[in-house]
Every structure is written in structure tokens, then in C-alpha cells.
Amino acid sequence: MWYLRKPVLLAILVSVVLVLVLLYSWPTCAYNTADLWQRLGATKERHLEERLPEPDTRLSSVPFQIRKSVSDLLERNGCVCEAETPVENLHFDQLLFPKLPAQSLHTASNTSELGKMKMRRAKEYKAFQQRPKTAADTLIITKANNPLQYPTQGVEVRPLKTIIIPGLALHDLPRDHYTINITATLGTLNVAAEVEGVKIKGDGGMHMSLSSSLLLNLNRQLQFVTYTNTKYHPNTADTVELETEGHQAAFSIKIRHGVTPKLYDTGPQEEYNVSKFVTIATKTFLRYEKLQKLIDSIRKYYPTVTIIIADDSENPKTISGPYIEQYIMPFGKGWFAGRNLAVSQVTTKYVLWVDDDFLFTANTKLEKLVDVLERTTLDLVGGAVDGGTFRQTMSIEPGEDDGDCLHIRRGFHHVIEGFPHCVVTDGVTNFFLAHTDKVRQVGFDPRLNRVAHIEFFIDGLGSLYIGSCDDITIDHQPKVNQPPGSQTYNENMYNMFRNPSTFSDSQNIKYGLMYFKNRLQCQTRN
Ligand SMILES: *[C@@H]1O[C@H](CO)[C@@H](O)[C@H](O)[C@H]1NC(C)=O
Ligand SMILES: *[C@@H]1O[C@H](CO)[C@@H](O)[C@H](O)[C@H]1NC(C)=O
Ligand SMILES: *[C@@H]1O[C@H](CO)[C@@H](O)[C@H](O)[C@H]1NC(C)=O
């Protein structure tokens, strides 16, 4: 057996050595672009689009019938925010089916200002759209009966490195002579080994031609084709074109670094310690009595969990104690700025968000929330505050130049398997546990300085995977309604900031951000 396998082994060994030699002796990068704006040229893109199959005119005479139930599901060109019309003839219908308010979001006071704002928004949006676009997003359609074999997807190369392109082959087509042309744009092509009877032209360049009168040899040669990325531009893709007489194909090679992991060591399993998993973050403003009650309630159940407090009070009072960190901010810096600061200082895998007037109870089981995140792919899971989960689903309908339409509805998508009390949704209450890194990625927009909450979830839609469990609860500290005269200076001040007489200003900031930053034109809610 051994003498039979020996040549095979030898061949493998030789090719491995060859690849290694090639990898080390490769002429490194004639070009070095780190310009994130550089894309595959417009001509190249146009060239690819021209390959779309020609519409067959005979097809237009074939009759068809539209299936309305399905075609209505297709995205329309543009979106509308319409208040849902109530059912007529019913006295109490307004109560049962209250008309959904449709809220237009732009804050411009006249049309000329609105027009200018729209232009600025359109410019930013265009730049935003271009950034993540790569050749891997280009539509490629494979023609029928293509004798070319190639990888349709899944080929990846690290920036400036070399790979063997897997799966290249040419099938059937009895001919005297075979030629395959391979073309790349962000890198060069070569062969890791030469096969007898195959002529190689353009190796080491962006356009390589392989030809032979022997199909078998050509196919053997195709197994050694390498691609080397030469233009430094991570998170893009190269479209490689493949051509033989009368047939073409194109596929993409993704160019990217591996994702650098950020892992947290939570200690050995047998010594489970929730303090190693969770940090509690809160933001306070002038309400030290409430904050103290919260801390006391936390310490009753979790004596060693770190508590991070962001504080933008006017005359900050020091909060001391073991496992407490207080960060003083400029006076009145605001709600989301405080959330951001607190979250930025967390060093555990998870962060628990609570408001400073919450109260831990025996049912505030952090271990249960940790368990949900450990055993699912969720990024964030909310509990219930005074029984309320504030579950919201969201969808954004693409609009045209006016912007998109946001629809927010109470509810959830589906129950999480294995957790009968938990559901998947898009927005939850102010009491939630989340992967620290994921929350930081979305961030709390510090421009939202007073009343804000759902805005974080709007920013996170599409990147945060959210759950909500109603069996893990926290309480609100009871509201004490004192007569105005007996309120302390801080209470007065708090109320002034929290319920600003300039409430419409705070609403305007919110709408303005949704309009410009999120490029929405309107929202509907129930
Ligand atoms: C429109 O509003 C802007 C800003 O509020 C103001 O500067 C401008 O003069 C207004 N234009 C007209 C035509 O009223
Ligand atoms: C391959 O490319 C060469 C130029 O490099 C061209 O002359 C030839 O026609 C091409 N062959 C095919 C099959 O596309
Ligand atoms: C849990 O971890 C905290 C801080 O990391 C530590 O102070 C505490 O002693 C630990 N508790 C147990 C029971 O090991």
C-alpha cells in the first residue's frame, strides 16, 4: 500500500512547499490604498451590470395573474404614514380601536428651511450608504448551462494575503483548444504549481490566461490558481471574472481581517459568581434619597456587584461604599449622556440598566437574566418594572427622498424556546441586561438630554437582538406626591428638568434626530 500512496504524498508535499515558498517570496503590494472611499471603479460595476440577461421579448406575451395576497407584501416604492381609519357605525370603536396617530417628524418651520435640511440629509445619507457597499453586494446572475465551475460564495482572503481559489474547473465542450481567462481588480492571479501542456500568460498580474489542448491538464492547472490581494482595503470584496469561449462567470472574494474577539473571563463554572458577570449602571440627577434606597435594595441581594453611577447633579454629593463608582458630570449634561458614561466604564461581560428610583426585590433575579443571555443569541433582555414590560415591535418601511416610515407597535415576535416567560421583541423597558460591547456599539445619543428611551432601540434596530421576560421583575419606588410648597430645592429642580415647561423643545430634539439622523419622515404608534 505504502508504495502506491507515496507519489500522492510526495505531490501533496511538493505543492505545500510550493505554496509556502510562493507565499513568502510574493512581490508585495504594488499599491497600498487605505482610502475607505475607494470602491471598485464605476466602469467595472457597469461592466458587471451589462451582463444581466437580456430581457426576452417573447416573454411579455405570456399571460399571468397577480396573486394579491402575496403581491401586497412586496415593498412599495415609497412609504406612507397613515393614521389607521377606525371602524365606522360603532359608538365605542374609538375606545376599542383608537385611531393610530401618525406623526410627521420634520421640525422645519418653513418649506425653504425644510428643503435645505433635506438636501443636507440626502448628502449624508448617500455617503452613509456608500461606506459598507462592496463588490459582494453586486447582483450577479449565472447564465444557464455554463460549463465553467467556480465558487459562488464563501471565498475569503485576509488583506494582502494569498489563497488558492477553490473549485475552478471547465466541463464538457469537446474542442481542439481550451482557454480560460481570469480577471481580478483588487489583487493579482498566479499559479501555485505548473501543469505540463498548459500555457500560462499574465501570471502575477490582474489578468491571467490559461490555455491547453488537453482539458484534463487544464483542469488540473485550475486547481492551483491563486489569488493575492494587493490593494489594502479591508471589508470589501473583489469580483473575479472567469471567461472561456462563449461563456462568462463572475464571483466575489471577500477581503477582510478576522474579527478580533473581546472576551470576558467569568471564572470557573463551579464557582459561579454573578458579580463577575454583571455591573449595575444607573444615572442620577438630584435624587439622592431615591438613589440610596436603590443601592440599599441592591446590597440586600447583591453585596458585591459593582454599581456605576453617572451623576450630573448641580452640587454632587459623594456616594461611597464598597463596589460603588460614582462619576460626576457637568451639571445637567443629560440622560443619554449619563447612560453612555456609565456604560463606558463597565468591565464585566454584561451591564444591567436600572433607573435611580427602582427598587430591587426578591424577584429581581439577575442570575436568571444572565442565564437567558448565556443560553441564547440575544444581545439584550428586559424584565418587568412594576409588572410592565413595555414590549414594542418596530419596522421601517423604505421611503423615497422624503425618508423612511417608522411603525412602532406594542407586542412581540415570538416566544423564546426553553424560556416560556420570554419573547423576542424590538424594544423593552428601562430595566434590562445586555452584552456590554453590543450596547456600546449602538450607544446612547448624548443629544437626547431629557426624556428619551425608545430612541436607543430605534438606533439599535437591525443590530441588537432583543428579548423580554416578564418573570424577572423590579419595583418602582412609590411616588410621593408632596404639596408644591413642601418640596425640597432638589425636588423642584428635578421636576423642572424632567418635565420641562419647554417639553415641546425636548420633543423637537427627538423628532429632529429621527428626521435627520435616522432619515425618517414620520412615525406611527399605538
Ligand atoms: C425659514 O426659517 C428659517 C429658520 O427658522 C429662517 O431663517 C428663514 O428666514 C425662514 N424663511 C422664510 C422664507 O420664512
Ligand atoms: C482572453 O484574453 C485575451 C487577452 O488577454 C484575449 O485575446 C482572448 O480573446 C481572451 N479569451 C477568451 C476566451 O475570452
Ligand atoms: C464574587 O466576586 C466578587 C468580586 O469579583 C468578590 O468580591 C466576592 O467575594 C465573590 N463572591 C464569592 C461568593 O466568591
Side-chain angles (χ1 to χ4, degrees), residues 116-334:
K116 280 182 195 149
M117 194 192 281
K118 258 169 119 169
M119 267 159 62
R120 293 196 305 273
R121 189 179 72 165
K123 177 171 163 274
E124 294 299 319
Y125 182 56
K126 202 168 156 215
F128 165 81
Q129 278 183 311
Q130 299 243 301
R131 278 191 86 83
K133 208 174 163 204
T134 80
D137 304 317
T138 314
L139 177 66
I140 297 176
I141 291 174
T142 309
K143 287 192 180 147
N145 288 322
N146 199 326
L148 290 163
Q149 178 185 298
Y150 55 95
T152 40
Q153 60 181 40
V155 190
E156 207 174 304
V157 65
R158 300 276 161 118
L160 305 182
K161 301 286 187 215
T162 300
I163 50 158
I164 289 212
I165 301 176
L168 295 181
L170 183 63
H171 287 271
D172 68 39
L173 287 175
R175 280 212 178 115
D176 299 340
H177 200 76
Y178 303 90
T179 305
I180 283 202
N181 283 350
I182 312 172
T183 310
T185 42
L186 298 176
T188 56
L189 300 154
N190 215 318
V191 290
E194 289 178 29
V195 175
E196 210 173 285
V198 179
K199 211 170 115 205
I200 304 166
K201 258 174 44 189
D203 38 335
M206 290 183 173
H207 180 80
M208 182 168 74
S209 192
L210 303 177
S211 57
S212 176
S213 51
L214 302 164
L215 184 58
L216 195 67
N217 295 35
L218 183 65
N219 273 328
R220 184 69 181 133
Q221 184 64 73
L222 282 170
Q223 294 180 331
F224 298 108
V225 172
T226 63
Y227 172 84
T228 301
N229 171 235
T230 54
K231 289 194 181 177
Y232 184 75
H233 191 180
N235 279 333
T236 46
D238 198 346
T239 305
V240 176
E241 292 179 60
L242 208 55
E243 203 172 4
T244 188
E245 288 84 356
H247 298 279
Q248 297 116 6
F251 61 93
S252 57
I253 298 179
K254 284 189 178 156
I255 302 163
R256 60 179 179 197
H257 288 291
V259 177
T260 312
K262 281 193 195 166
L263 310 177
Y264 293 87
D265 186 0
T266 47
Q269 196 89 58
E270 55 276 11
E271 298 165 25
Y272 182 89
N273 182 343
V274 78
S275 305
K276 291 216 161 32
F277 283 84
V278 179
T279 299
I280 299 172
T282 190
K283 151 86 174 57
T284 196
F285 181 62
L286 306 168
R287 299 200 290 191
Y288 289 109
E289 307 79 41
K290 295 210 184 264
L291 178 65
Q292 196 54 54
K293 277 190 194 140
L294 168 72
I295 294 172
D296 294 345
S297 75
I298 295 173
R299 286 298 174 239
K300 194 166 159 200
Y301 303 99
Y302 298 104
T304 60
V305 171
T306 300
I307 304 172
I308 291 183
I309 302 156
D311 186 346
D312 62 348
S313 305
E314 189 177 17
N315 300 303
K317 192 182 127 190
T318 305
I319 311 285
S320 53
Y323 305 105
I324 290 181
E325 295 172 23
Q326 182 187 18
Y327 293 88
I328 310 293
M329 304 176 74
F331 172 51
K333 194 75 178 77

Side-chain angles (χ1 to χ4, degrees), residues 317-385:
K317 192 182 127 190
T318 305
I319 311 285
S320 53
Y323 305 105
I324 290 181
E325 295 172 23
Q326 182 187 18
Y327 293 88
I328 310 293
M329 304 176 74
F331 172 51
K333 194 75 178 77
W335 176 224
F336 266 31
R339 280 186 166 195
N340 247 354
L341 177 66
V343 166
S344 76
Q345 299 307 309
V346 173
T347 55
T348 51
K349 182 175 182 182
Y350 300 117
V351 57
L352 181 85
W353 184 266
V354 291
D355 286 357
D356 61 351
D357 61 344
F358 286 179
L359 205 60
F360 271 54
T361 70
N363 201 30
T364 312
K365 286 262 177 271
L366 301 189
E367 296 83 353
K368 274 193 181 173
L369 290 174
V370 169
D371 190 42
V372 175
L373 292 188
E374 289 280 303
R375 287 167 53 200
T376 63
T377 53
L378 294 175
D379 298 315
L380 183 153
V381 61
V385 182

Side-chain angles (χ1 to χ4, degrees), residues 5 8 14 27 42 67 93-94 132 185 190 207 212 228 267 281 306 326 364 376 406-407 438 441 445 487 498 508 524:
R5 283 202 198 145
V8 181
V14 166
R67 181 174 289 188
D93 65 65
Q94 283 290 343
T185 42
N190 215 318
H207 180 80
S212 176
T228 301
T306 300
Q326 182 187 18
T364 312
T376 63
L406 169 69
H407 304 289
K438 291 296 291 195
Q441 271 168 29
D445 195 323
Q487 282 182 333
R498 176 72 208 223
N508 263 352
T524 69

